Amino acid sequence: METLSIYLIKSSGLMAMFFLAYYFLLRKETFFTSNRWFLLAGLITSALLPFVIFTKTIWVDPSPAAIDWSNVPVSAPMENTGFEINWYLVLAIGYGIGLLLFLIVFALDFYSLTKILKNKAIHQQADFKFIDLTANVAPFSFFNTIVYNSSLYSKLELESILEHEKVHSEQNHTLDVLISRLFCVVFWFNPIVWFYKNAIMQNLEFIADSEASKKISDKKAYQITLLKITTQENCVAISNHFYQSLIKKRIVMLNKNQSKKSHYWKYFSVLPALIAFVLFFQIEVIAQEKSIKEDAQQQTSNLSSNQETSSLKSATEINVIANDTVKKTKVIKVHTSNKDDQTEIFIDGKKVSKAEMDNLDPNRIATMDVSKNGGKSTIKIISRNTQGIPDDTEIYIDGERVSKKELDELNQNTIKQMDVNKTGSNKKTIKIITRSTNQSLNNIQAPVPPTPPTPPNFTFKTPKAPNFPKAPKAPKGDPINGDKKAWKQFENQMQEYEQKMQKAAPSMAAFEKQMEEFEKQMEPFNAEMKAFEKKMKVYEQQMEEYQSQLHAKK
């Protein structure tokens, strides 16, 4: 039980780490699909990483071979004077009871789902199975089966609902729901897992809303359909259902601007915490005694190593980072103790002394070449010129676009002119003209590169949706054969609800008016975006002509 407790604690900690990263960094971003994989990766990592153990062996001096047991004090055995509670057993029983109860709830949810689907007429269309019920059940999907009550909605509303549920089916959102429910069963005692499940369910709705709205011409009608579905709360627990309690957030996310791609760094924010988790909790230290023979060999090895070190005191060691991603380190030893040494050292094409090379920061070295011709050695070092330059910066050398690596390899002494421009989207463009090309420009007229168009700015605010009263929940059964008292009470509650809805009608009308004004405000922006797209096509054609002219000049 102790091992199980440690596993559950570690997994719960990892789950909390992923959830907090999502809640504070990613929850308001529009990367819905990426958020889906991030949340699922958090659950999988929480389940598997505690099983990954790294071992570290520490060699210790051997203990004495013989022990004088006569000097070891012996105490009389203590008698058991009372009953001791086995707390591990108590915790195991409590955890087992909770696990069993939540498994039963999970099984009952499956039973209620199969009861709804059993012996119902199925209409097959492409990869989807449609079931049209007469019961008062909110629309939902389970894998490729979509269930709804067509009598409750208009044709336009039903179209919006089916497009929404098709997204759930096509992207297998039911698997996400089942996985999150199983984690709730295993980690029922952890409150974070329930918030985690709600985050997954909410993000799945954002995905379905986003994809469905792309296929529906009237987005306003789709949002009104979302508000209408709030009056139905008869939802199947283990399905993807159209109704969600956070309708206001769904409408806000539908009208929110797309997040910038530069925000993708947030997905890597958990890496330092994962590395710290492995270093502190997943490394097992094993102490192993040295044998007398191994100890003697170690001393001999240290002696030979010291002799070798003393003979190489005149050598200069340079750490070179050979690969930016893997960051492998190699050591290059350059002997300069010979009086007749003829080693030449160049940094970025400039000849330097050995002292200047020794003072160079190893992290600034991009590449290093060592060549030898007879008794003369040459060391060529290229430093990193692109440190601090964002990855999305466009770099041009003599009119041709190059990478940051090619800029690193450029000899700085050949640079004649460098211009740094900044566009409206905060993207930088670096244009460099070298001396050789500048001289050739005196004889050949080089083509002028085209100027990219400036995208329009989006400065509009999305209208805030009003709060609506909560609809009463209908009793089980039907008004004729069901509990008549409960249905009578439900009718009274519905009358009160209709009165509240009538009071909320002005707010809804105001919201619709605000949405109409918002759409009118968006019309000029949409027109500007279309014009910008046309200009971009012209710019791309101009760039192709410009590149072909450059190659022709060469």
Side-chain angles (χ1 to χ4, degrees), residues 300-474:
T300 305
S301 176
N302 292 338
L303 179 60
S304 62
S305 177
N306 292 334
Q307 291 175 351
E308 182 183 356
T309 305
S310 63
S311 65
L312 296 175
K313 286 184 178 178
S314 60
T316 302
E317 295 186 3
I318 304 173
N319 293 327
V320 180
I321 297 183
N323 190 300
D324 291 338
T325 306
V326 184
K327 292 191 176 178
K328 297 178 180 177
T329 303
K330 62 180 180 181
V331 177
I332 298 176
K333 298 184 178 180
V334 183
H335 296 271
T336 59
S337 60
N338 190 353
K339 294 180 179 179
D340 299 328
D341 180 74
Q342 298 180 9
T343 302
E344 291 183 343
I345 305 170
F346 296 89
I347 298 179
D348 296 331
K350 181 181 179 182
K351 189 174 181 179
V352 298
S353 63
K354 175 182 173 296
E356 291 175 303
M357 182 184 68
D358 292 340
N359 293 329
L360 179 64
D361 185 2
N363 293 325
R364 283 187 49 79
I365 298 176
T367 60
M368 181 175 186
D369 295 323
V370 181
S371 59
K372 191 171 184 180
N373 186 6
K376 184 178 180 180
S377 299
T378 303
I379 302 174
K380 294 182 179 180
I381 298 174
I382 296 176
S383 63
R384 299 177 185 275
N385 300 320
T386 59
Q387 283 187 336
I389 297 179
D391 293 333
D392 60 345
T393 302
E394 296 182 354
I395 305 171
Y396 296 89
I397 298 178
D398 298 332
E400 186 174 0
R401 186 168 181 177
V402 298
S403 63
K404 291 176 66 176
K405 182 179 178 182
E406 291 173 299
L407 178 59
D408 279 332
E409 296 173 352
L410 178 65
N411 188 345
Q412 295 181 359
N413 295 325
T414 64
I415 297 177
K416 178 65 177 178
Q417 181 180 348
M418 182 170 70
D419 296 323
V420 180
N421 299 323
K422 191 174 183 182
T423 62
S425 58
N426 294 327
K427 181 184 288 186
K428 290 184 178 179
T429 302
I430 299 176
K431 297 180 180 179
I432 297 174
I433 299 177
T434 60
R435 293 181 185 276
S436 58
T437 305
N438 189 58
Q439 293 172 355
S440 64
L441 290 176
N442 295 329
N443 300 324
I444 303 174
Q445 292 183 353
V448 179
T451 304
T454 303
N457 294 326
F458 186 86
T459 58
F460 308 104
K461 291 185 178 180
T462 307
K464 186 177 180 182
N467 295 322
F468 290 92
K470 186 176 180 181
K473 185 177 181 180

Side-chain angles (χ1 to χ4, degrees), residues 142-248:
F142 187 76
F143 289 105
N144 65 336
T145 302
I146 299 176
V147 182
Y148 57 93
N149 186 345
S150 60
S151 63
L152 300 177
Y153 314 104
S154 65
K155 184 178 180 180
L156 185 61
E157 292 171 344
L158 190 60
E159 178 186 357
S160 300
I161 292 172
L162 294 181
E163 288 295 339
H164 179 97
E165 296 302 331
K166 284 180 181 179
V167 176
H168 283 311
S169 298
E170 289 172 344
Q171 299 189 9
N172 294 317
H173 289 177
T174 304
L175 289 176
D176 301 49
V177 177
L178 293 176
I179 290 172
S180 62
R181 282 295 304 271
L182 287 174
F183 269 82
C184 289
V185 171
V186 177
F187 296 90
W188 59 267
F189 58 90
N190 182 10
I192 291 294
V193 73
W194 300 98
F195 293 115
Y196 206 111
K197 179 185 77 73
N198 291 338
I200 289 177
M201 300 287 286
Q202 176 179 307
N203 187 67
L204 293 179
E205 295 304 316
F206 291 160
I207 294 175
D209 288 339
S210 177
E211 295 299 323
S213 62
K214 295 177 182 178
K215 301 177 183 179
I216 298 173
S217 57
D218 193 350
K219 293 184 179 181
K220 178 182 175 182
Y222 182 81
Q223 296 174 23
I224 295 175
T225 303
L226 288 181
L227 296 173
K228 181 177 180 179
I229 301 300
T230 58
T231 60
Q232 299 172 351
E233 292 189 352
N234 294 337
C235 303
V236 180
I238 59 173
S239 64
N240 297 294
H241 43 78
F242 192 83
Y243 166 76
Q244 285 286 336
S245 59
L246 301 175
I247 296 296
K248 179 180 176 181

Side-chain angles (χ1 to χ4, degrees), residues 1-10 50-51 88:
M1 180 58 196
E2 183 178 1
T3 303
L4 177 61
S5 301
I6 294 173
Y7 169 78
L8 293 175
I9 292 172
K10 287 183 178 181
F51 291 112
Y88 283 117

